[in-house]
């Protein structure tokens, strides 16, 4: 599972604005088409979600899973939001991150990294393709939501 897929996009908003959308998990079903339901299970004392349960329907992959989040971000919104899989039915592993970097005064470069493994046998090539589709869709939908 060492292989991972990565892609970046520029969003016409400050990092803090992008981070606010990423952190608003309950709104994901409104803009992330594959996400059908989200529930924040636990929060850290600082108000950031710690564990979040997702119900996903991404065609070939349908699952309900829990991710554990780490928030290594500054007050201005730059930094890294990363996650790892706690439990799932179909997924064996899902590790990923958003890296937010300021680009100029009012823009943000978001880099999304993702590595997914499933319990059913799947060719590595198909897995990477699925990761690429997930990442590209997520970045485009995030950009659309933030710039909306």
């Amino acid at each position: 599972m060492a292989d991972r897929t990565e892609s970046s996009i520029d969003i016409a908003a400050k990092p803090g604005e992008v981070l606010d959308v990423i952190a608003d998990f309950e709104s994901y079903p409104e803009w992330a088409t594959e996400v059908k339901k989200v529930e924040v299970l636990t929060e850290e004392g600082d108000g950031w979600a710690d564990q979040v349960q997702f119900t996903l329907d991404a065609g070939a992959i349908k699952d309900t899973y829990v991710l554990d989040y780490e928030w290594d971000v500054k007050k201005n919104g730059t930094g890294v939001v990363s996650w790892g899989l706690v439990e799932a039915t179909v997924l064996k592993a899902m590790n990923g991150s958003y890296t937010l970097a300021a680009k100029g005064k009012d823009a943000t470069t978001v880099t999304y990294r993702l590595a997914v493994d499933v319990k059913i046998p799947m060719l590595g090539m198909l897995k990477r393709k699925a990761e690429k589709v997930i990442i590209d869709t997520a970045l485009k939908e995030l950009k659309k939501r933030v710039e909306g």
Side-chain angles (χ1 to χ4, degrees):
M1 213 204 67
D3 289 349
R4 68 177 185 198
T5 304
E6 176 180 316
S7 190
S8 297
I9 197 166
D10 290 334
I11 298 177
K14 293 179 180 171
E17 296 168 34
V18 178
L19 184 63
D20 287 346
V21 172
I22 291 170
D24 185 10
F25 292 106
E26 284 92 353
S27 295
Y28 277 36
E30 297 172 14
W31 60 271
T33 51
E34 286 92 9
V35 177
K36 301 306 173 195
K37 184 179 171 195
V38 180
E39 181 183 354
V40 175
L41 302 177
T42 59
E43 283 187 0
E44 296 178 6
D46 57 9
W48 296 109
D50 190 27
Q51 290 198 347
V52 183
Q53 182 178 49
F54 295 84
T55 301
L56 180 79
D57 184 351
I61 300 175
K62 292 178 174 60
D63 203 357
T64 297
Y65 56 92
V66 176
L67 298 179
D68 185 67
Y69 281 83
E70 294 294 326
W71 302 86
D72 186 14
V73 292
K74 297 178 183 155
K75 286 187 185 222
N76 69 355
T78 60
V80 180
V81 178
S82 57
W83 58 88
L85 186 68
V86 176
E87 62 181 326
T89 308
V90 176
L91 296 168
K92 187 162 55 173
M94 178 186 269
N95 301 306
S97 66
Y98 284 113
T99 301
L100 286 77
K103 183 174 184 182
K105 201 172 102 179
D106 291 320
T108 306
T109 299
V110 180
T111 302
Y112 188 171
R113 294 175 181 90
L114 184 67
V116 176
D117 205 0
V118 290
K119 293 177 181 172
I120 53 172
M122 185 184 276
L123 291 172
M125 183 178 69
L126 291 176
K127 220 179 329 185
R128 297 288 91 72
K129 185 172 172 134
E131 288 172 359
K132 182 79 173 135
V133 168
I134 291 168
I135 287 173
D136 287 347
T137 302
L139 286 173
K140 285 176 189 151
E141 290 176 338
L142 176 64
K143 179 180 174 74
K144 188 174 170 187
R145 176 74 174 195
V146 173
E147 293 179 353

